[in-house]
């Protein structure tokens, strides 16, 4: 059954209208996880996580563990056997009843599935999540990468009010980053964390404003729809060589010009976590833009 009327919140429907696209089918947006998605999540050694900080800013991070650290007691519950390290911006965001989003992405196969919902509990056993929405995405714009272990301990946590030269270089040479957003209402799973990818250098900087072109995707406009309701963004850039993480927050705005859509984020806070990951990745070839159906 097509649940378009209820699967998309008002901001997403406005974004779809502004983009001039017909209302997409929401057949593949479910209020539960399919068996295929449950199996996929359980196979991953890492997931991207989005949450909403107590002061209302979306934040994004990467959670890692042995395959199976993400499990599902049932079709509407995810259990993450993981706790964020000190200095991770999601530390204070993972309280019960707060919104949470998970993106399972497998760089080697370019497969990705998403789950949005709320935190049920955060205790000694890890984080439990109530799934409100579960759906797949096509593999467009995902750069292939093979994981490798990094034998290192977490390093320093650095905080800046603005981008320094190192951060600017990471951003302007990136071919991948992740963006967290949250609608004013989370009735429809309004917390979201999404992949953004393109050729190296597709992200531009002008002072403290980051600009990203919007490439055609699944036409759901989850991120842009959230920004129409709440123009706050949390960005995550990964140094795939050394495991450093760069967390950014900023005010977001979308250009809907005839020349093409683009996203601007004015950076307000920068957090760099040195050697935050015990995983690195070896980059594969850029196989470009592909045409594919939803990964369901």
């Amino acid at each position: 059954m097509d649940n378009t009327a209820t699967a998309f919140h008002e901001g997403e429907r406005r974004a779809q209208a502004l983009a001039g696209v017909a209302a997409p089918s929401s057949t593949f947006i479910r209020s539960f996880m399919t068996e295929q998605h449950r199996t996929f999540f359980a196979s991953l050694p890492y997931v991207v996580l989005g949450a909403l900080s107590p002061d209302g800013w979306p934040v994004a991070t990467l959670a890692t563990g042995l395959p199976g650290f993400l499990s599902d007691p049932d079709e509407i519950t995810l259990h993450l056997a993981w706790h964020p390290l000190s200095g991770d911006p999601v530390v204070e965001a993972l309280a019960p009843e707060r919104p949470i989003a998970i993106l399972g992405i497998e760089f080697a196969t370019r497969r990705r599935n998403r789950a949005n919902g709320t935190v049920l509990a955060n205790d000694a056993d890890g984080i439990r999540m109530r799934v409100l929405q579960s759906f797949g995405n096509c593999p467009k714009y995902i750069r292939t990468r093979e994981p490798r272990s990094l034998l290192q301990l977490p390093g320093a946590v650095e905080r800046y009010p603005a981008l320094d030269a190192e951060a600017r270089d990471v951003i302007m040479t990136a071919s991948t980053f992740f963006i967290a957003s949250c609608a004013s209402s989370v009735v429809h799973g309004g917390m979201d964390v999404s992949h953004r990818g393109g050729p190296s250098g597709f992200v531009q900087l002008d002072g403290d404003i980051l600009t990203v072109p919007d490439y055609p995707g699944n036409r759901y406009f989850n991120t842009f729809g959230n920004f129409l309701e709440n123009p706050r963004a949390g960005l995550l850039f990964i140094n795939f060589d050394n495991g450093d993480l760069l967390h950014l927050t900023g005010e977001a705005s979308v250009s809907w010009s005839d020349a093409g859509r683009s996203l601007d984020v004015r950076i307000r806070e920068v957090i760099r976590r040195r050697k935050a990951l015990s995983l690195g990745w070896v980059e594969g070839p850029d196989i470009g833009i592909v045409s594919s159906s939803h990964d369901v």
Side-chain angles (χ1 to χ4, degrees):
M1 180 177 67
D2 186 349
N3 60 340
T4 303
T6 57
F8 299 114
H9 61 66
E10 176 61 27
E12 290 166 328
R13 294 194 293 270
R14 285 174 55 204
Q16 293 158 10
L18 286 167
V21 302
S25 170
S26 59
T27 302
F28 299 122
I29 300 178
R30 302 177 175 93
S31 59
F32 63 93
M33 296 175 290
T34 65
E35 186 63 32
Q36 185 181 13
H37 286 191
R38 295 168 71 179
T39 301
F40 176 67
F41 281 131
S43 72
L44 295 172
Y46 55 88
V47 290
V48 185
L49 188 151
L52 191 67
S53 65
D55 61 357
W57 287 93
V59 288
T61 196
L62 196 75
T64 63
L66 296 176
F69 86 113
L70 184 63
S71 60
D72 51 284
D74 54 58
E75 65 182 8
I76 61 170
T77 308
L78 278 171
H79 176 223
L80 192 64
W82 172 85
H83 291 101
L85 297 174
S86 176
D88 191 319
V90 305
V91 167
E92 297 181 353
L94 298 173
E97 300 185 7
R98 296 194 64 80
I100 185 174
I102 283 180
L103 169 64
I105 184 166
E106 192 170 55
F107 291 114
T109 63
R110 301 169 59 245
R111 184 181 176 191
R112 53 177 163 166
N113 291 321
R114 285 150 75 170
N116 305 333
T118 56
V119 176
L120 289 172
N122 182 359
D123 53 32
D125 293 329
I127 300 156
R128 288 187 294 282
M129 170 184 175
R130 166 68 162 89
V131 174
L132 296 175
Q133 288 187 333
S134 176
F135 56 99
N137 286 146
C138 71
K140 283 185 177 181
Y141 319 116
I142 299 177
R143 179 69 64 90
T144 58
R145 292 178 167 91
E146 292 289 342
R148 61 186 178 90
S149 296
L150 296 175
L151 300 177
Q152 59 186 16
L153 295 175
V157 177
E158 303 164 0
R159 297 175 181 267
Y160 304 97
L163 298 168
D164 62 3
E166 181 180 348
R168 298 177 72 85
D169 182 67
V170 168
I171 293 168
M172 296 185 70
T173 59
S175 59
T176 299
F177 75 96
F178 301 92
I179 185 165
S181 60
C182 191
S184 300
S185 168
V186 295
V187 173
H188 299 88
M191 187 79 224
D192 186 77
V193 64
S194 178
H195 165 275
R196 288 291 187 271
S200 179
F202 80 112
V203 183
Q204 298 295 307
L205 280 174
D206 182 5
D208 62 351
I209 298 177
L210 177 154
T211 300
V212 189
D214 181 51
Y215 299 138
N218 59 17
R219 300 184 302 134
Y220 288 171
F221 292 97
N222 307 113
T223 301
F224 283 5
N226 284 352
F227 288 152
L228 288 178
E229 293 200 359
N230 176 22
R232 292 182 169 190
L235 280 61
L236 174 69
F237 287 83
I238 301 173
N239 187 317
F240 292 99
D241 294 325
N242 64 16
D244 286 0
L245 294 182
L246 184 67
H247 308 266
L248 311 173
T249 58
E251 295 280 354
S253 61
V254 180
S255 170
W256 302 92
S257 70
D258 294 338
R261 294 180 300 273
S262 63
L263 170 68
D264 288 345
V265 180
R266 183 180 294 275
I267 304 302
R268 63 177 283 274
E269 183 182 37
V270 180
I271 300 175
R272 181 186 293 114
R273 297 169 57 215
R274 304 277 187 187
K275 300 181 180 180
L277 303 178
S278 58
L279 278 176
W281 286 263
V282 178
E283 189 169 293
D286 181 1
I287 58 179
I289 298 174
V290 300
S291 177
S292 177
S293 61
H294 294 294
D295 176 19
V296 297

